[in-house]
Amino acid sequence: MQSNLVDFIQVLRSHDIRVSPAETLDAVGVTTTLGYSDRNLLRDGLAMTLAKTPAEEVIFLDCFDRFFQQDLADFSSSDMPSDQDENKDLDSTDDTAAQTEDFSGSQLSALELASEKNPSLESLLQTPLMQNLLNNNRNELTLAINAAAQRVDLQKIQMFTQKGQFTRRILDAMGEEQVRNAVIELERAESPALAVLQRYRDILRQQVRDYVEREYLLHAEGKTQQFMDDILSKTRLNNIEHIYLHKVHELIRKMAKKLASRHSHKRRRLKRGQLNMAKTLRKGIPNDGVMFNTFWRQVKKEKPQILAICDVSGSVAAYSKFLLLFLYSLQDILPKVRSFAFSSHLGEVSTYFDDYPVEKAIELVNWKYGGATDYGNSLMDFSKLALDDINSNTTVIILGDARNNNGDPKLEILQSIFQRARQVIWLNPESRRAWGSGDSEMLRYQSACHFSAECNNLKQLERIVDQLLKSTR
């Protein structure tokens, strides 16, 4: 049963519940102690071990109920024909008339009569699979489907297009091929037992399809979301269709949460500085010079700050939007962030993010500052607003394509920023091969940056913000 626990933990991970190797060992200890006989007790014990937040607990309970459901395949007694009940219908995928046809004892006995003239059918009726179908042995059928699913690695299902493939694999693993061959022989012989065997075959197929569908929803739901997240994270931000924007926002929050978890607990404890001997000795005079109390030199340390300068002209607005969304999703662990937006002129937009939700603030910023691009004029505006505030604890992030419509780039202003700041980072959504082509001033601006990088998708942005958090600790 430990393999089931490992599979269950993999399901939790695919649904964004982080489970460490140490927590996996704890879960193994819980199952060893509690066992699997009391389902509710096992659920509560594993929940205390694996679910760390209320949100994770909700996901955990849903996954637990679906993974450890008591009836792996829900066979109802009315699905199966029986010699003891002449009035029960057989569930079938045939037409309506066939579905409502009653299976009397004489019809079911047709299988036995046909088997006397058909050795392969006689052999089939003796197999555990057919015995379980004939006797409506739901527990054994459920176990057989479960065992076959494990043999074909059904837990690896990822895409809905794989459902038919895994259904066929499970049926083959259960020996359904022998049923198919018997159906073909009865069809050729025009045997009256054909309809009966076909309906038993259809029952089996339907139950396996239902089982695969449930397992797909459990195992593939999280994997499909992970696959979608991976695709979106590597897609150029300006190519993402509007219908996927809400998914991108969720992905950014997920990335921000991961980075916050990675960096929030790594704050270094600051040293107290050097001993202030003069003050310590002075305060020790009343005690005959005994230094009962020590005093330390107070070192004033300025807090780091981030200045984000974003081009919100038409060609770059999408990238700036997601950079700002990323930065403000990390405001609990990032240093102070001041934001500036520009096209032909530049202004500080930090108050927008104080007064409005992030998405609304970004919408207002794009509306106010969008337009044709003039980097030179915008750098002059920035110099007037914030150049004096830049010091050795300041990180300046510039996001833009550096296309200046052949105007004066005012490189000297960026050089002045470079000399004052701790680091100047330029993120350009264009391919490096396009830097310096046409009206691009990127190669000249690059000389006044500590770091420059191509950045046009969330994966690149996450990696750069991760490095930024490391450098500002």
Side-chain angles (χ1 to χ4, degrees), residues 396-410:
V396 179
I397 303 176
I398 304 173
L399 191 147
D401 58 8
R403 295 199 173 273
N404 196 36
N405 295 315
N406 298 312
D408 185 352
K410 298 294 182 181

Side-chain angles (χ1 to χ4, degrees), residues 342 373-382 398 402-417 426 439-448:
F342 73 92
T373 311
D374 188 334
Y375 275 78
N377 187 58
S378 298
L379 284 173
M380 287 193 295
D381 290 341
F382 179 77
I398 304 173
R403 295 199 173 273
N404 196 36
N405 295 315
N406 298 312
D408 185 352
K410 298 294 182 181
L411 180 61
E412 66 277 7
I413 298 179
L414 187 60
Q415 290 172 336
S416 179
I417 297 171
W426 193 300
D439 62 346
S440 172
E441 300 287 352
M442 188 60 207
L443 297 182
R444 298 177 67 185
Y445 283 140
Q446 189 178 10
S447 65

Side-chain angles (χ1 to χ4, degrees), residues 74-302:
D74 184 17
F75 293 93
S76 63
S77 57
S78 62
D79 287 337
M80 304 302 242
S82 171
D83 288 327
Q84 284 72 35
D85 190 342
E86 297 183 357
N87 296 318
K88 291 191 175 181
D89 295 338
L90 179 65
D91 189 8
S92 170
T93 55
D94 289 348
D95 54 58
T96 305
Q99 289 179 356
T100 57
E101 182 181 352
D102 289 336
F103 283 81
S104 65
S106 59
Q107 288 175 310
L108 292 177
S109 64
L111 283 175
E112 297 177 357
L113 292 174
S115 67
E116 295 177 359
K117 302 177 183 179
N118 190 323
S120 61
L121 178 58
E122 183 179 8
S123 175
L124 171 65
L125 294 180
Q126 301 306 315
T127 61
L129 175 62
M130 278 306 300
Q131 285 295 310
N132 290 330
L133 286 169
L134 291 170
N135 297 322
N136 192 18
N137 195 332
R138 289 179 287 165
N139 290 335
E140 291 300 324
L141 284 168
T142 295
L143 292 174
I145 293 175
N146 187 35
Q150 290 182 344
R151 290 199 295 274
V152 302
D153 292 329
L154 178 59
Q155 70 273 13
K156 294 182 179 179
I157 189 170
Q158 296 187 24
M159 306 296 292
F160 74 93
T161 52
Q162 295 176 297
K163 289 191 291 186
Q165 177 184 4
F166 276 102
T167 298
R168 173 47 51 200
R169 288 181 182 178
I170 292 174
L171 288 169
D172 288 344
M174 295 180 69
E176 192 256 359
E177 182 180 5
Q178 194 173 355
V179 179
R180 296 200 307 270
N181 293 336
V183 167
I184 293 173
E185 291 188 20
L186 293 178
E187 188 173 15
R188 289 173 179 170
E190 298 182 353
S191 171
L194 173 63
V196 179
L197 186 60
Q198 283 178 327
R199 283 157 181 75
Y200 278 112
R201 177 203 61 187
D202 293 340
I203 288 171
L204 178 63
R205 289 180 176 180
Q206 185 60 50
Q207 299 300 340
V208 172
R209 280 196 294 267
D210 291 344
Y211 179 82
V212 171
E213 178 69 23
R214 288 195 299 269
E215 293 298 293
Y216 165 75
L217 292 175
L218 176 64
H219 292 281
E221 183 179 44
K223 293 178 183 177
T224 302
Q225 183 59 49
Q226 288 179 338
F227 178 76
M228 189 64 179
D229 288 351
D230 187 58
I231 293 295
L232 290 175
S233 70
K234 296 177 181 177
T235 301
R236 292 181 69 94
L237 293 171
N238 65 336
N239 289 338
I240 296 176
E241 297 182 20
H242 182 75
I243 58 175
Y244 294 115
L245 289 182
H246 71 286
K247 292 185 177 294
V248 175
H249 291 180
E250 293 174 4
L251 180 57
I252 288 176
R253 293 186 181 93
K254 191 183 302 182
M255 288 177 168
K257 181 180 178 181
K258 181 176 70 174
L259 291 178
S261 175
R262 180 184 302 168
H263 294 281
S264 60
H265 63 283
K266 294 183 179 179
R267 296 289 185 184
R268 298 176 182 173
R269 296 190 61 169
L270 298 177
K271 295 180 180 180
R272 290 181 293 180
Q274 295 180 336
L275 184 66
N276 188 333
M277 286 300 299
K279 188 173 183 179
T280 300
L281 290 172
R282 249 190 341 265
K283 295 295 183 179
I285 291 175
N287 304 315
D288 295 328
V290 178
M291 294 180 288
F292 280 109
N293 300 307
T294 55
F295 296 87
W296 303 85
R297 296 185 186 277
Q298 299 296 317
V299 179
K300 183 179 180 181
K301 183 173 181 178
E302 296 184 11

Side-chain angles (χ1 to χ4, degrees), residues 358-373:
V358 175
E359 289 85 353
K360 181 63 176 179
I362 292 172
E363 179 183 337
L364 293 173
V365 167
N366 288 341
W367 174 79
K368 183 172 183 179
Y369 290 97
T373 311

